[in-house]
Amino acid sequence: MDDRIEPSTYDVIVLGTGLPESVLAASIAARGKSVLHLDCTGFYGAHWTSLSFPQISSFASSSNGHLPCPEYFPHHQILNPRMPSAPDDSVHSNGNSGFQQVQQQDPDGGSVADPGSFSPPTRSFGNGAVADGALEGLVEDELEVLEMGEQPPLYSSVRVWSSEGASLGPANRFYLDLAGPKLAFCAGPLIDSLLRLQAEHHVKFTAVESSYIWRDHVLAAVPASRAEIFQDRSLSLPDKRFLMRFFKLVTDYAESPNGTVAELSTSDLERPFVEILQRQNLPPYIRDIILYAIALADQDQEQASDARRVLRAKEGFATLALYLASASRFPTAPGPFLYPMYGQGDLTQAFCRCAAVCGALQILRMQVSGFLIDKETKDYKGIETASGQHLYSEKLITGPSFCLRSVISTSTEDRDNGEETAHHSFSESTSTTTDSANKVARCICITDQSLQPGVSTLLVIFPPRCLHIRIALVVRALQLGSRSEICPDGKYVVQLSTVCSNSTAGDEALQAAVDALFHSESRESQVTDTNSKPKLLWSLCYVQTMTTPRANWEPQGGVGMCCMPDGTLDYRTMMAQTETIFHELFPEQEFLPRVVVAANNVEDGEADDVDGVNSV
C-alpha cells in the first residue's frame, strides 16, 4: 500500500488534534484554505481527549508521562471514527489499598530524570525543485531537516488507587477526560464557535443541574439567578438582599453601552474585584460565592500572594454578566454550564468533522520526524514524516507535544568528495512562565452514588481555606453520571482539579477534597459520617504542567504553537489563545467565519433544544 500523502503542498499543516488545533483547522478550512491535519495517535483529542478505561490505564502505567500512543501502524488512517471500544468486560479492583505510585517523575521536585543535552543533526537532502504545487521558488537543496527527539514529560506524580474487590462495570462504557473538569458557558465563545461553524450538529450536550459551594462541611447551593436567590432557603434574608442588590449592579453593568455604571468609576474597574465586593459590604460567605463559584477565580483573592493572579473588577463583572446571560440562554438548561456528552473528546471530533466538511484532510497515526527549514533564514517550510516524505506548507500549527530545538550556531560547509554536510549545534528549550501557579493537579474518581441524591451532573467549588486553614488553593469537582454517556448506569465520575505551584501542594488539596466528598475503606477510620458519603471505588491522580514546549528557534512567521489545557473551569482562555494564533497567521482574515451548510441551520442565540441540553 502506498503511504504517500497527496497532494504534498498545503496552505496550512496542523500537527495534533487537541481542541485548539482542531478549532484552528476548522476555522482555517472554512476560509477556503487547504489544510492537512495530522496526529501520531490513533484517537482524536491529544491532551484534550476522553480516554477509554484501557487507555487511561495505559496512561497511568506509563513511565514517561506521555499520552497513550498505540504501536506504530505502517499505514495511516484517514478520517478515523471514534476509537473502537474495549471488550465488553468488567473492570475490577487490583486489590491495592492506599495510593500506588506509578510514576516518580516530578518536574518541580527535581526527581525527573534529566533528559540531558540533545544535539539532533540537521540534514541536507536532494537536489532540484520541490514537487508539483510547491511553494513558488522553493528548492529542496535550500532546505534542511530539523529533527525532533524525546519530549520532556508533561505529566508527573501519577497515582492509582482502587478499592479491593470493587466492580466498576463494563470497561467500554467509560470515557474519562484527561483535562477535566471543563465546562462551557451557554453564552460563551465555545458554544458560539460551534454555532458559527455549524459544528453543533456533531456534538450533544448535557446541562449541569446544580452548583454547590463547600461551606461548614456541607454542600450549599449556588444561585444561578435572582429567582434562585429568592427561593434559596439556605440564605438568610439579609444575604438575599445583598446578593439581589449586587446582581442588579451586574445587570446594569452588562446593559450599559460603555460598560460602566454610576456606582463604578473607570478606575474602580481596574481595581481588585475583591475590593469592590468588600466596598459593597458583602459578607465573607457571599464574597466566596461570587469570587469562586460565579466569577470562577482559581486563586485566593483575599490573601493573594501573587498580584498577577488577582482578578480585576472589570474581569469579574464580565464573568458575572456571562454567568447570568448563560443561565437564561437555553430554556431547558437549568444553569449556566454545559458538558459535552461522551466527554471533551467529542468537542475535538466535532471541530475536526467541521474541518473535513470544509475540505481539510485528516490523518491519524501519522508520525512526524522533523521540520523543514530554510538553511539561511531558518524559516519554516514544511515537515518530514516518519516514512521520509516531505510535505510543504506556508504555515504550521503545532500542539504542545512538539518540542522544537534551537539552532545556536550557523552551519559550516565541509566538502569531502564533493559532498556537502551541514553541522549544527542544538539546545533543547522549554518555555517557562513567570507565573508561580504553572501546574494543574487533577484527579479522576469513580464512585457508586451521587454526591447529592437525585442529581446526576453537578459542580462543587471548594473556596480557599475551607478544607484546612493551610490549604489556600481553590479546588473544583465536577460530577458526571450515566446521563452524560461517560460511565455505566449506577456509577458516577467525579473530576477534580486545582491550580498549584508544585505537586505537593496540589496533591494535598485534592486529597483533602476527596476525603471531604467520599469515604474509602483504607481511610475510613480517619473520616466521620461515612454512611452519608459515596464510596470511593477507584481514583487516578496526576499533575499536569501548563508550560508549553517552545523553541529558541523562532521563524520570522508562519508557525503557531498551541498550549496545554489550563486550570480554568471554562474554555474562554483557550478560545482567546486560539484566536490570537489565528490572527498572527492570518491578520486580515475573520476568525470563525459563519458556515452555512443547510437552509434550516440554527442561528446564534436561537438554539433551544437542550435535552437537558440535547444539542445546541
Side-chain angles (χ1 to χ4, degrees), residues 137-211:
L138 188 62
V139 180
E140 280 194 345
D141 59 8
E142 297 175 356
L143 306 178
E144 59 190 359
V145 178
L146 177 59
E147 294 185 340
M148 294 182 291
E150 182 69 20
Q151 304 300 320
L154 297 173
Y155 303 91
S156 61
S157 302
V158 183
R159 300 180 299 169
V160 177
W161 182 90
S162 57
S163 177
E164 185 174 0
S167 175
L168 303 182
N172 65 346
R173 292 292 306 277
F174 285 97
Y175 295 102
L176 305 177
D177 294 339
L178 197 60
K182 286 282 187 183
L183 293 171
F185 275 112
C186 291
L190 180 74
I191 299 301
D192 287 343
S193 69
L194 288 168
L195 291 168
R196 292 189 66 83
L197 293 171
Q198 296 301 332
E200 80 277 10
H201 302 292
H202 306 303
V203 61
K204 294 183 178 182
F205 289 88
T206 187
V208 176
E209 301 168 62
S210 302
S211 294

Side-chain angles (χ1 to χ4, degrees), residues 85 113 225 322 366 383 414 440 581:
S85 299
S225 64
L322 176 61
M366 175 55 65
I383 64 170
D414 289 335
V440 188
I581 293 173

Side-chain angles (χ1 to χ4, degrees), residues 99 159-163 443-446 514 523 536-541:
F99 283 97
R159 300 180 299 169
V160 177
W161 182 90
S162 57
S163 177
C443 186
I444 303 173
C445 298
I446 299 177
V514 168
R523 296 189 298 274
L536 182 62
L537 304 179
W538 179 91
S539 66
L540 168 67
C541 295

Side-chain angles (χ1 to χ4, degrees), residues 7 9 11 15 23 57 79 130 145 253 266 304 314 323 411 447 559:
T9 303
D11 292 321
L15 302 180
V23 172
S57 299
L79 293 178
V130 173
V145 178
Y253 171 85
T266 302
K314 184 177 182 179
Y323 188 98
S411 63
T447 184
V559 177

Side-chain angles (χ1 to χ4, degrees), residues 472-492:
L473 302 179
V474 178
V475 180
R476 301 186 181 105
L478 174 64
Q479 174 186 286
L480 302 164
S482 59
R483 187 179 301 174
S484 304
E485 299 293 349
I486 55 93
C487 63
D489 292 340
K491 298 296 184 293
Y492 296 85

